[in-house]
Amino acid sequence: MLFRFTGQLSFGQFAVRTLIVVAYAVIFAPVVMIVVTSFFAQEIVSFPPPGLSLKWYANALSKPEFLRGLVTSFQVALLATAIGVPLGTAAALAIVRGEFRGRQALSSFLLAPLAVPGVVAGSGLYMFYVLAEDLLDRDIKATTEGLVAAHTLLAIPWTVRLVVASLQGLDRAAEEAAANLGASPFTVFRRITLPMMRSGIVAAAMFSFIQSFENLDLSMLLVGPGRITLPVAMLNYLEFRIDPTLAAVATVQIALVGLLMVVTDRFVKLSRVV
């Protein structure tokens, strides 16, 4: 016999929905706490707060390291996305549509960075940069170029993963029809295949940008003086002060990422790709 709640939900359905609500609460509780804390008037966080204020946002704006970090993070994320997404898209197209030995091995190789901890990857890249500097006699580590190259390695696996998923769900009937009507392979790709891949490419660009923009564990080993990213600037601030200024900066990050996801979902339904 099934137990009924509100006359419609069974006990099992009620339990499942309760677990879903609890899961969402656990996921979003830290985000909500950060946003709420950024408006506390006092420096030492306590509940209930004696008042609300925007002074921590003003304090964050007055810190030049946060502004420089924000600009650097935008630059690195944009460049890494602009480089990594085309490379990852080409690789995904070769994996799905190519006919050659080792396709699965290539796919596993390109997706491998997703399984490597960021600190381990950053340490490996740092040692590689040191060896490369000795061979090339030029600075690589602690440079914007070196940081962009490292973040490109974050963009490529995400692009391969999402574009491969997008390509595997495509119907090739339109491509075959265009080819039968005399269209060249390039024309078929440009006018048929590429538009059908748009959702995967846009989603890959969004995730690549977010991964680069918010990356800390990889970046903190490769940044240099005057070229720190926003997450590294926040970590440096935490070494000397503990106040809601970091919550204010984190709230701005959350708002920027949330806006990016909303705009992206407006043009491409992320639920169809991710």
Side-chain angles (χ1 to χ4, degrees), residues 76 79-81 83-85 87 147-157 212:
V76 172
L79 289 172
T81 301
I83 297 172
V85 171
L87 293 176
L147 193 58
V148 169
H151 282 219
T152 300
L153 297 179
L154 296 174
I156 291 176
S212 174

Side-chain angles (χ1 to χ4, degrees), residues 185-259:
F186 178 74
T187 301
V188 173
F189 173 77
R190 181 173 60 88
R191 304 191 64 175
I192 305 296
T193 309
L194 193 59
M196 291 194 299
M197 294 167 54
R198 184 185 68 171
S199 59
I201 295 174
V202 173
M206 184 200 70
F207 277 96
S208 298
F209 181 89
I210 293 174
Q211 286 293 315
S212 174
F213 183 73
E214 295 191 331
N215 182 268
L216 172 62
D217 43 7
L218 181 68
S219 301
M220 66 181 179
L221 298 169
L222 302 174
V223 296
R227 297 185 181 88
I228 62 173
T229 61
L230 183 59
V232 176
M234 295 171 66
L235 181 64
N236 292 340
Y237 183 86
L238 187 61
E239 293 182 3
F240 305 100
R241 297 288 300 274
I242 301 179
D243 58 43
T245 299
L246 288 181
V249 177
T251 300
V252 173
Q253 277 188 298
I254 293 170
L256 290 174
V257 172
L259 178 62

Side-chain angles (χ1 to χ4, degrees), residues 154-203:
L154 296 174
I156 291 176
W158 277 103
T159 302
V160 171
R161 181 178 180 181
L162 292 171
V163 176
V164 164
S166 177
L167 281 170
Q168 289 176 339
L170 294 183
D171 185 1
R172 302 193 64 177
E175 296 173 292
E176 294 171 354
N180 291 335
L181 291 173
S184 64
F186 178 74
T187 301
V188 173
F189 173 77
R190 181 173 60 88
R191 304 191 64 175
I192 305 296
T193 309
L194 193 59
M196 291 194 299
M197 294 167 54
R198 184 185 68 171
S199 59
I201 295 174
V202 173

Side-chain angles (χ1 to χ4, degrees), residues 11 21 32 97 103 135 153 172 215 219:
F11 177 79
V21 171
V32 173
R97 298 293 177 83
R103 285 189 302 162
L135 293 175
L153 297 179
R172 302 193 64 177
N215 182 268
S219 301

